[in-house]
Amino acid sequence: MEEVYLGIDTSCYTTSVAVLNAEGQLIGEARKILDVKPGSCGLQQSEMVFQHTRNLPNLVEQVLRGKQYTLKGIGVSGYPRPLEGSYMPAFLAGLSVARSLAALTGAKLNIISHQENHLEAGVWSAQGPEASRFLLLHASGGTTDLLLAEQQADGRYQLTEVGGSMDLHAGQFIDRVGVALGLQFPTGPALERLAATATQMVELPIAVRKLQVSLSGPATAALRKLEAGADGAALALGVEYALAETFVRMLRNGGAAYGVQDVLLVGGVASNSYIRQHVTERLAKRHIRTWVPEARFSCDNASGCAAFAWRMRG
């Protein structure tokens, strides 16, 4: 039977499962975005746990049922960040299934953080950085962190937070403006489509101080411009530009501060094609190489957990 490595991730808004073969190739994947009522800006943790618990059996069946697999390793996101005390109930749903499968099959259980899952998915999909020391920008609805990633002797990465947002996260910025524009939460994909139709751009302020950024000011400015009658598409493009340029300046400063020339972009916000292109082109002028995974592996998914289980196969 074919030896495989299973990944499970139960984040705030996506239930996901992935399977890699012995060569580290994706051979199965299933994911489901959690249901959010129209006009709402999120879910309570109890509702996340409920939906993950309901979704997981169906997704596991989709990738495993009827297959002749020997499960050699399981990777799962057990908590938000690789920090002591980091906790979020949503991850208990995936962790419970992973532990049960490991006990049943004898597969090696690898528990990592959701943030490490994003890093692993990024490195696996982008096939880099090849450097053992680089900057990681994790930009999503719940995180806008700039981290120094350093590969350790055991193969794992040590993540040290060196910068990021002091207030709103990038995804919150997008969602506040997107919901005000009448888009369905989470609004990232719809806002990107709307911005692509713009013929002009609404300018928004950018607030970067070395490695720290502020997004509450730009978000407030965007909402005020919308109330004043700004065109929706032009405003959406302005949001994309403000975020992209904020990231460029922070990453440029980070590269100089830590002497690194490689940057990995991950997270739902980093899957935005306009932001990826802007950051890549602007940083290239400073001789900083930007690594970007496929967009579908930048947003929440379980491929990073599976990739970590595969890398740690021993």
Side-chain angles (χ1 to χ4, degrees):
M1 290 191 291
E2 185 174 13
E3 295 183 350
V4 298
Y5 299 84
L6 176 69
I8 298 174
D9 183 67
T10 50
S11 64
C12 288
Y13 296 106
T14 306
T15 316
S16 52
V17 176
V19 180
L20 301 188
N21 63 16
E23 288 71 47
Q25 301 166 325
L26 184 70
I27 58 174
E29 184 196 14
R31 64 179 83 172
K32 188 178 189 311
I33 296 176
L34 305 189
D35 297 323
V36 180
K37 293 181 180 179
S40 174
C41 287
L43 292 170
Q44 293 183 341
Q45 283 288 320
S46 59
E47 179 62 21
M48 293 178 194
V49 173
F50 169 73
Q51 292 196 39
H52 285 314
T53 302
R54 182 184 60 191
N55 294 340
L56 269 174
N58 295 330
L59 300 186
V60 171
E61 287 171 356
Q62 286 182 44
V63 299
L64 296 182
R65 174 176 281 176
K67 305 295 195 305
Q68 297 298 308
Y69 289 156
T70 297
L71 195 56
K72 297 294 292 183
I74 302 172
V76 61
S77 297
Y79 39 92
R81 292 179 174 85
L83 300 172
E84 185 177 353
S86 181
Y87 170 76
M88 188 175 288
F91 294 107
L92 295 178
L95 184 58
S96 64
V97 171
R99 288 181 60 185
S100 298
L101 285 173
L104 178 65
T105 64
K108 180 182 177 182
L109 180 63
N110 302 271
I111 304 172
I112 59 176
S113 68
H114 178 68
Q115 193 162 66
E116 290 170 297
N117 172 52
H118 272 294
L119 181 153
E120 294 286 345
V123 171
W124 169 79
S125 175
Q127 294 297 293
E130 298 170 355
S132 61
R133 188 169 180 267
F134 57 89
L135 288 176
L136 173 72
L137 176 61
H138 180 193
S140 66
T143 305
T144 302
D145 289 349
L146 179 63
L147 304 117
L148 180 65
E150 299 173 290
Q151 192 166 26
Q152 306 299 294
D154 63 0
R156 297 187 68 143
Y157 288 93
Q158 177 178 311
L159 296 179
T160 305
E161 186 174 343
V162 296
S165 177
M166 299 180 291
D167 37 57
L168 283 184
H169 297 307
Q172 290 176 315
F173 179 12
I174 288 174
D175 286 329
R176 288 190 182 185
V177 178
V179 169
L181 287 167
L183 306 178
Q184 174 64 35
F185 181 92
T187 66
L191 185 135
E192 183 175 0
R193 291 191 294 270
L194 179 61
T197 68
T199 57
Q200 55 185 352
M201 183 180 75
V202 172
E203 292 188 11
L204 298 172
I206 295 170
V208 178
R209 179 174 293 181
K210 294 185 179 180
L211 304 184
Q212 300 295 327
V213 305
S214 173
L215 298 175
S216 63
T220 299
L223 294 175
R224 287 176 177 169
K225 287 181 181 291
L226 183 61
E227 291 176 357
D231 175 73
L235 183 61
L237 181 57
V239 170
E240 286 185 327
Y241 177 84
L243 283 171
E245 188 59 24
T246 294
F247 295 160
V248 165
R249 298 180 191 183
M250 178 170 59
L251 289 166
R252 180 187 63 199
N253 295 341
Y258 289 93
V260 298
Q261 294 181 302
D262 291 273
V263 167
L264 176 64
L265 303 182
V266 300
V269 174
S271 68
N272 179 289
S273 59
Y274 176 93
I275 291 175
R276 291 152 70 98
Q277 181 176 350
H278 183 92
V279 172
T280 299
E281 292 178 352
R282 293 272 280 123
L283 289 181
K285 295 179 180 179
R286 294 299 185 105
H287 306 291
I288 296 175
R289 187 172 183 181
T290 305
W291 299 80
V292 291
E294 286 186 49
R296 67 192 181 112
F297 298 122
S298 184
C299 53
D300 287 353
N301 72 100
S303 65
C305 288
F308 182 76
W310 176 76
R311 284 207 308 112
M312 295 294 109
R313 63 194 182 280

